[in-house]
Amino acid sequence: MTVLSTLLHANAFRSPFLSTLLPSIGLAYGIQGLVAIPSIVAQSEKFYDLSGSLTYLSCTALSLYLPTIRARHAAQLAGTIKPAWPSLVGALMGKAGSGLNWRQVVLSAAVSVWATRLGTYLFQRISADGTDSRFDKIRGNPPVFLGAFFAQATWVSLCLLPVLALNSLPSTLLSTASPILLTDIIGLLLYTGGLSFEIIADRQKSKWVEEKKAKKHSEEFLTRGLWSKSRHPNYFGESTLWSGIAVVAGGVLCSNVGQVGMGFAGGIGGIMAAAAMAGVSPAFVTFLLLKVSGVPLSETKYDKKYGDRKDYQEWKKNTPMFIPKI
């Protein structure tokens, strides 16, 4: 038995949902474990954020193509004609027999665009700065440092849950769903707006830092652009874009098509379970940003450095912490 056969057999469940979900989550922890080993040895967090983006991309791709991999492997064992690989373009055009539904392609692309942009941005930042202050107290403690990598695997798994669930649904079943739902429109608008907000906020901060290094200004903290509307506009954008992904996925998962595809019994219980599965993604992201690694670390750092300054107090008083003012 080949390695592929062994892996596919070990994760073969009667439910297509579990057959896609569990291998994808396992891949997340596997990648993080592999990256953790050399990082712990070198006591370096340089590739931490980049590995997070790689994990997002890898798990998304696996969930998108795993059903086809299984079908092709089964055909090979049976000596029959292998099914064709899915057509991304065909799925976007709504062609029958493309192997995927347009929502699966769009949401997978949405995650990939976000992960690639953020991973590149954070890698460029740590390459320039050398270190990340978040790891100052843990990079020399192997068990705790390892825990940070597994925490990142958990973050990826929970954030991707609605996409993994959607990608587990057979395209033939998804083809029976309504071509366009209201949740599709609302979700894509939220994603586009959130991603744009995050990109603009990050670019404004990068430009501000570059200008400060070039001594074009003497400001100690950024209060211009989107940073005059929210003290953490990049975090607001990230929470919003994940909400958009959850809305698109949730609209399908809560429908009859989603209930049947995931093997739920339907009814209020099944709908609530599907809604929770979609909602856990933005809820977990927002919780992390507001209570764990985002806002608290940033606010504590700036309060300690500039808390006694009147201009900082005024900015903090007049600028919302999270949701931007109009």
Side-chain angles (χ1 to χ4, degrees):
M1 184 176 289
T2 65
V3 174
L4 178 60
S5 297
T6 302
L7 291 175
L8 292 177
H9 180 73
N11 293 283
F13 299 93
R14 293 182 62 184
S15 167
F17 170 59
L18 292 178
S19 293
T20 298
L21 178 68
L22 296 184
S24 299
I25 292 176
L27 179 63
Y29 283 91
I31 292 175
Q32 288 302 298
L34 289 175
V35 177
I37 295 173
S39 298
I40 291 172
V41 173
Q43 294 188 13
S44 171
E45 67 275 19
K46 184 174 183 179
F47 297 100
Y48 180 82
D49 290 312
L50 190 62
S51 72
S53 293
L54 174 63
T55 304
Y56 270 106
L57 294 171
S58 301
C59 293
T60 300
L62 178 64
S63 69
L64 197 62
Y65 286 101
L66 186 55
T68 303
I69 293 174
R70 291 185 184 280
R72 288 175 63 85
H73 182 69
Q76 181 179 5
L77 293 179
T80 58
I81 299 176
K82 296 180 182 178
W85 289 103
S87 170
L88 301 182
V89 175
L92 291 175
M93 296 177 65
K95 290 184 177 180
S98 60
L100 292 170
N101 179 262
W102 72 266
R103 295 179 184 88
Q104 295 172 316
V105 176
V106 169
L107 288 196
S108 296
V111 170
S112 300
V113 168
W114 169 82
T116 301
R117 188 208 71 84
L118 184 63
T120 302
Y121 170 76
L122 294 177
F123 184 68
Q124 290 174 341
R125 188 176 70 178
I126 196 171
S127 296
D129 296 342
T131 60
D132 186 333
S133 59
R134 294 177 298 170
F135 297 89
D136 287 346
K137 296 182 179 180
I138 68 173
R139 70 171 66 90
N141 188 327
V144 177
F145 200 14
L146 177 63
F149 282 93
F150 285 149
Q152 182 158 251
T154 302
W155 168 57
V156 172
S157 300
L158 289 177
C159 286
L160 276 182
L161 190 56
V163 178
L164 298 180
L166 182 67
N167 287 350
S168 73
L169 302 180
S171 60
T172 51
L173 181 61
L174 279 172
S175 65
T176 64
S178 176
I180 296 290
L181 298 170
L182 179 60
T183 49
D184 296 329
I185 298 172
I186 295 174
L188 292 177
L189 286 175
L190 284 172
Y191 172 83
T192 303
L195 181 64
S196 300
F197 212 81
E198 184 178 38
I199 290 174
I200 293 172
D202 283 341
R203 287 183 177 177
Q204 287 177 346
K205 187 163 188 177
S206 294
K207 182 179 179 181
W208 180 86
V209 170
E210 292 173 0
E211 290 176 346
K212 184 173 178 62
K213 290 179 179 179
K215 302 187 183 302
K216 293 183 178 180
H217 66 76
S218 57
E219 300 169 359
E220 295 295 337
F221 45 91
L222 177 57
T223 60
R224 294 183 263 126
L226 293 182
W227 300 82
S228 67
K229 305 297 183 181
S230 166
R231 300 204 300 273
H232 304 280
N234 51 339
Y235 296 154
F236 172 76
E238 183 161 341
S239 176
T240 301
L241 71 87
W242 282 109
S243 296
I245 289 174
V247 168
V248 175
V252 177
L253 298 179
C254 291
S255 70
N256 288 334
V257 168
Q259 296 290 291
V260 171
M262 291 188 294
F264 289 174
I268 189 65
I271 293 175
M272 289 180 64
M277 196 175 300
V280 70
S281 174
F284 186 66
V285 168
T286 305
F287 171 76
L288 287 181
L289 294 175
L290 292 181
K291 300 297 182 181
V292 183
S293 64
V295 172
L297 292 179
S298 179
E299 293 275 312
T300 300
K301 175 182 176 181
Y302 279 87
D303 285 349
K304 185 176 181 180
K305 293 180 67 175
Y306 311 117
D308 58 346
R309 289 178 47 163
K310 186 175 180 179
D311 56 348
Y312 176 77
Q313 294 172 2
E314 286 295 319
W315 173 67
K316 191 170 182 179
K317 177 182 177 182
N318 297 321
T319 308
M321 179 185 70
F322 193 66
I323 300 176
K325 60 183 178 182
I326 299 176

